[in-house]
Amino acid sequence: MAASESGLSAGLGPVTDLAGVGERVAQRLKALGIERELDLLLHRPLRYEDRTRITALNRVRPGVTVQVEGRVVHREIRQTRRRMLLATLADDSGQITLRFFRFYPNQLRLLNEGTRLRCFGEARFGPEGFELVHPQMTRLGPDGGPPLPSSLTPIYPNTQGLAAATLSRLIADALQRLESDQLQIADPLIQHGAQWPWARAVQVIHTPEPSEDLAALMDGHHPAVQRLAAEELLAHHLALSRLHRARERQRSVALIDDRGLVKQMVASLPFQPTGAQNRVMTEISADLDREKPMRRLVQGDVGSGKTLVAAAALVTAASSGRQAALIAPTEILAEQHYRTLSGWLGELGLRTVWLAGKVKGRARAEALECLVGDADIAIGTHALFQAGVNFRDLGLVVVDEQHRFGVHQRLALAAKGQRGRELPHQLVMTATPIPRTLAMTAYAGLDVSVIDELPPGRKPVTTVAASQQRRDQVIERLRGALAEGRQAYWVCPLIEESEVLEAEAAESRAAELAKALPQFRVGLIHGRMKPADKQQLMSEFSSGGIQLLVATTVIEVGVDVPNASLMMIENAERLGLSQLHQLRGRVGRGSEQAACVLLYKPPLGDMARARLEVMRETTDGFVIAEKDLELRGPGEVLGTRQTGMLRFRIADLARDADLLDPVKTLAGRLSRAEADIIIERWIGRADQFGDV
Ligand code: ADP
Ligand code: MG
């Protein structure tokens, strides 16, 4: 490109083109969503520090973060209850104590008497008067220190193992290039009435003057943030419009229940579908009846009966002579679907095939042969969509618990059954309730159906919170319930970010509970067990052979054992609302009154207390989702856990809802080339939206 030959850049090149960015740093940047030079500029600071001024020591006030300069006049290592390093810093106006509970030889040297230092930290009132605990320190030479910055210093959020200083330097370099025009970012919105030039908005967000409205910069109401948020929403709007246009051109084969098999299946069930299930099944069959690919999301709270809705769609495809596939995110869940559906479909004369990663050798060869042969319905994990797996005539793909899959995996599934312009219909199901206000934008490009009714006779799960110091009482209560023939889960969630440690914690808890409850069978299930062992355990639990199942969060999604009516969740204070809701949804599926005990380790923080409170007050997934949104903000709710959905860098759907209308109007005025620039900047390759 001519621009890069002349040393100029449009910011779209990979970060590895930048000085000081090797493979390792690039990997870490990628984890932050930073792959191009431009992305550095779109990485928004979390907060700012004011290092533009030096505060005289007699003006220091407790609770205020300050930058001070002075000379070390005293240093000592004190051994009271704990060892600590104390130093006294003095300037012309007064002095302050520097306190360190951990320290290294180089810090000790830095604090030699006579050294001149610049320190930054929050002042507090201590036993010796005002003090700074673990301040950041810079040594000052005879002619003073480095010049003070004229703007505030940005602090960036979690850096995924990247040194904060490295990230700050890379962003500062990019800002420098932007200022000196080496980095030239096109700004098409200026022609369309944008109040702020793009580059100026970026500069203000990263390095505001001390006089800027900091609160507004941090909460996002500042016009500089709004300028970029609007552009980001515009990018998504433009990309979605393209997606819709592309879909208009796609074709599918209409699927019709020619043989009346759905009716036959429903008639053979031990229950009547609820009104909501019937409504959603009708919506789906209307979609399938068209020669355009269905793209529908079924949202239904845990236990609302999504499996039946999926089954009706699968049977419709089979009934019209095509194949259908159901995939689930975990082997436990897929296997459970296989068992349930084999039962429901058994009398319809349909051929069902099971495939998971662990199906090997002859069994696998047979399954593969069947898929290109006379299989009607395939059930399994994402193994169904790996290379080497082929279908005779795939007409429908159903994805359960879609939030566990990424958008890209979902797209790969669609591509699997593609023949020329023809694509299979797609149905995705999720129990993660997204607040209605966000659903439309969050589930980009999907039509949404909601199962908003639970099967009759369900009694809401009674929930209590208990300090883990009362674990013995909880075990007593459990003993009583098990003696009455009830079954229970005991969940030990992730304590460290390690599956190994999690498994160990669950193992030792299982051993302890087995000892405390010798008259009952206690099972243990965790993510590191062999799939065959997991399945064995689940089926023993299902059939009642095991009364108490100790588990890690592997049971979070979809597991269905109606006789289990008690759930204990340890470390509940560390889990988010949606995860707690998912876990609790494993009980309360039978006619028995179910109970859930949230065990926590005191003292509780405000957030944790608020979350446990919500769990005690309601079992309604939508209410919980709204509360989750309130407590954490949409960035988090729609963030890492829900990888199947849109994520924003700057925009915030709840905060910026009023930008959506102006953005739509603006979208209509842009030229194709201008739209390309905006999409490319925020979302990446514009063409990927052409073939969804
Ligand atoms: P989820 O929406 O969480 O996937 P499932 O499909 O697993 O829910 O259904 C939960 C339980 O409710 C299952 O045991 C299922 O057989 C049962 N069920 C589903 N629909 C009905 C209904 N209409 N009436 C009674 N029980 C039902
Ligand atoms: Mg389910």
Side-chain angles (χ1 to χ4, degrees):
M1 234 168 39
S4 59
E5 275 161 27
S6 58
L8 300 179
S9 142
L12 298 173
V15 282
T16 42
D17 286 355
L18 303 175
V21 182
E23 270 313 311
R24 209 179 54 89
V25 170
Q27 276 307 318
R28 305 228 153 121
L29 286 171
K30 190 170 173 193
L32 294 171
I34 299 172
E35 297 186 60
R36 309 163 303 174
E37 187 179 11
L38 177 67
D39 297 331
L40 287 164
L41 298 173
L42 299 178
H43 193 67
R44 194 175 148 211
L46 188 63
R47 58 189 179 84
Y48 306 89
E49 285 177 350
D50 187 352
R51 293 168 186 258
T52 62
R53 311 174 271 145
I54 302 294
T55 302
L57 286 175
N58 67 346
R59 306 293 296 267
V60 168
R61 295 289 171 266
V64 178
T65 301
V66 289
Q67 184 165 244
V68 297
E69 279 184 6
R71 183 181 302 279
V72 179
V73 293
H74 175 76
R75 182 191 72 186
E76 67 177 300
I77 292 175
R78 197 178 288 174
Q79 184 73 51
T80 50
R81 276 203 334 265
R82 55 201 285 206
R83 204 167 102 99
M84 62 180 87
L85 170 64
L86 291 173
T88 308
L89 192 75
D91 69 3
D92 296 339
S93 72
Q95 54 183 40
I96 195 168
T97 302
L98 311 179
R99 188 184 298 273
F100 301 82
F101 297 107
R102 303 172 306 275
F103 50 92
Y104 303 99
N106 58 343
Q107 280 170 313
L108 208 54
R109 269 197 304 283
L110 202 55
L111 291 165
N112 277 336
E113 277 174 35
T115 313
R116 283 181 46 75
L117 290 179
R118 180 182 291 170
C119 298
F120 184 87
E122 186 183 321
R124 64 173 207 184
F125 192 68
E128 260 74 22
F130 289 151
E131 61 182 29
L132 301 175
V133 177
H134 292 201
Q136 295 168 37
M137 303 186 287
T138 319
R139 183 201 297 273
L140 300 178
D143 46 353
L148 295 173
S150 60
S151 55
L152 301 184
T153 306
I155 306 297
Y156 297 97
N158 67 342
T159 54
Q160 300 277 0
L162 189 68
T166 307
L167 182 62
S168 295
R169 179 181 55 76
L170 288 169
I171 293 174
D173 288 353
L175 287 167
Q176 193 60 52
R177 286 190 298 277
L178 185 65
E179 194 153 24
S180 65
D181 279 344
Q182 277 170 283
L183 184 55
Q184 295 186 324
I185 307 289
D187 196 1
L189 297 195
I190 278 293
Q191 275 78 265
H192 294 277
Q195 298 291 318
W196 281 61
W198 195 89
R200 171 139 179 266
V202 165
Q203 297 280 8
V204 168
I205 286 172
H206 287 281
T207 50
E209 300 288 316
S211 59
E212 285 292 346
D213 181 350
L214 285 191
L217 270 174
M218 285 188 280
D219 71 24
H221 289 99
H222 193 286
V225 181
Q226 291 283 296
R227 162 68 169 84
L228 296 188
E231 194 182 282
E232 183 172 30
L233 292 172
L234 176 65
H236 282 282
H237 181 83
L238 292 165
L240 281 179
S241 311
R242 287 191 184 179
L243 193 101
H244 285 299
R245 282 201 295 276
R247 272 176 58 181
E248 287 305 305
R249 293 192 299 272
Q250 291 168 347
R251 289 284 165 266
S252 266
V253 171
L255 303 177
I256 303 159
D257 183 11
D258 288 324
R259 295 148 61 192
L261 295 182
V262 174
K263 216 182 220 148
Q264 207 178 315
M265 174 185 76
V266 170
S268 75
L269 295 176
F271 53 76
Q272 294 276 318
T274 61
Q277 282 170 321
N278 274 325
R279 174 170 45 74
V280 174
M281 288 192 285
T282 307
E283 283 166 358
I284 291 169
S285 73
D287 282 356
L288 294 177
D289 195 0
R290 299 172 64 215
E291 287 176 352
K292 278 195 191 329
M294 168 172 75
R295 294 284 175 270
R296 186 168 288 277
L297 173 92
V298 172
Q299 209 180 314
D301 210 345
V302 286
S304 63
K306 293 186 290 296
T307 314
L308 172 61
V309 166
L314 298 169
V315 168
T316 303
S319 181
S320 68
R322 319 254 320 191
Q323 291 177 304
L326 168 63
I327 76 157
T330 67
E331 213 146 306
I332 293 183
L333 193 51
E335 213 265 338
Q336 177 182 289
H337 279 323
Y338 182 67
R339 267 189 283 131
T340 306
L341 293 174
S342 302
W344 291 356
L345 307 180
E347 285 154 33
L348 305 178
L350 298 178
R351 176 131 193 222
T352 309
V353 175
W354 161 250
L355 189 68
K358 296 303 174 329
V359 178
K360 293 259 156 70
R362 262 224 3 234
R364 184 179 163 85
E366 274 169 24
L368 293 182
E369 196 174 316
C370 195
L371 290 178
V372 288
D374 63 357
D376 295 300
I377 292 171
I379 298 174
T381 59
H382 57 269
L384 271 172
F385 294 92
Q386 277 156 3
V389 180
N390 295 304
F391 290 84
R392 165 175 49 87
D393 189 6
L394 188 62
L396 167 72
V397 175
V398 181
V399 184
D400 194 14
E401 305 296 351
Q402 78 102 28
H403 64 281
R404 288 299 185 93
F405 294 96
V407 171
H408 296 288
Q409 274 169 308
R410 192 152 62 71
L411 299 182
L413 308 191
K416 196 81 193 179
Q418 181 155 15
R419 304 174 166 179
R421 288 238 130 163
E422 265 179 34
L423 280 164
H425 295 279
Q426 247 192 81
L427 179 66
V428 300
M429 307 197 292
T430 183
T432 307
I434 293 301
R436 286 171 222 274
T437 43
L438 303 186
M440 292 308 279
T441 312
Y443 292 124
L446 295 172
D447 301 316
V448 178
S449 293
V450 182
I451 309 183
D452 50 6
E453 180 185 353
L454 292 179
R458 298 273 172 83
K459 302 191 193 87
V461 181
T462 316
T463 303
V464 296
S467 156
Q468 65 168 15
Q469 288 151 356
R470 287 173 46 204
R471 199 162 66 211
D472 288 349
Q473 278 165 268
V474 172
I475 294 176
E476 272 323 298
R477 186 172 158 188
L478 182 59
R479 188 196 313 279
L482 297 180
E484 288 168 15
R486 298 169 69 175
Q487 288 176 281
Y489 298 98
W490 187 294
V491 182
C492 309
L494 203 67
I495 300 165
E496 310 278 342
E497 288 295 315
S498 145
E499 215 182 34
V500 181
L501 292 176
E502 183 183 51
E504 279 172 10
E507 254 163 48
S508 66
R509 181 66 75 239
E512 188 186 309
L513 287 167
K515 214 163 132 202
L517 302 164
Q519 60 276 58
F520 303 107
R521 272 199 68 205
V522 177
L524 167 67
I525 189 160
H526 58 69
R528 287 176 58 80
M529 284 165 56
K530 289 208 187 76
D533 295 345
K534 280 195 238 175
Q535 275 156 36
Q536 172 66 24
L537 245 136
M538 280 317 295
S539 64
E540 275 183 65
F541 188 58
S542 277
S543 63
I546 289 174
Q547 286 90 48
L548 175 63
L549 186 64
V550 178
T552 58
T553 47
V554 296
I555 63 152
E556 182 188 338
V557 287
V559 169
D560 182 37
V561 179
N563 191 48
S565 60
L566 265 178
M567 163 143 310
M568 266 49 72
I569 305 176
E570 283 196 70
N571 296 109
E573 80 280 4
R574 304 209 192 180
L575 298 178
L577 274 176
S578 66
Q579 205 175 8
L580 287 169
H581 179 63
Q582 284 285 328
L583 285 168
R584 183 172 61 183
R586 301 307 109 219
V587 295
R589 302 181 148 237
S591 46
E592 193 91 45
Q593 172 65 56
C596 174
V597 182
L598 305 171
L599 285 163
Y600 63 85
K601 187 191 268 166
L604 277 181
D606 288 346
M607 273 285 260
R609 182 179 303 277
R611 281 200 299 261
L612 298 186
E613 191 67 26
V614 171
M615 290 303 291
R616 282 171 36 208
E617 276 170 6
T618 181
T619 52
D620 181 327
F622 279 100
V623 175
I624 289 174
E626 300 280 358
K627 292 281 182 192
D628 205 16
L629 181 69
E630 234 168 75
L631 289 173
R632 293 193 299 161
E636 284 285 312
V637 176
L638 302 179
T640 46
R641 276 180 51 79
Q642 276 93 24
T643 46
M645 291 181 279
L646 284 184
R647 260 190 274 177
F648 296 98
R649 302 169 193 239
I650 310 262
D652 173 329
L653 283 177
R655 182 191 69 208
D656 302 329
D658 59 335
L659 292 175
L660 290 170
D661 277 337
V663 153
K664 273 182 207 152
T665 314
L666 180 54
R669 294 206 213 112
L670 297 191
S671 70
R672 171 102 200 171
E674 288 169 333
D676 280 346
I677 291 172
I678 302 290
I679 294 176
E680 173 103 54
R681 171 172 308 163
W682 291 92
I683 302 173
R685 283 178 30 234
D687 57 345
Q688 78 188 24
F689 283 85
D691 54 37
V692 176

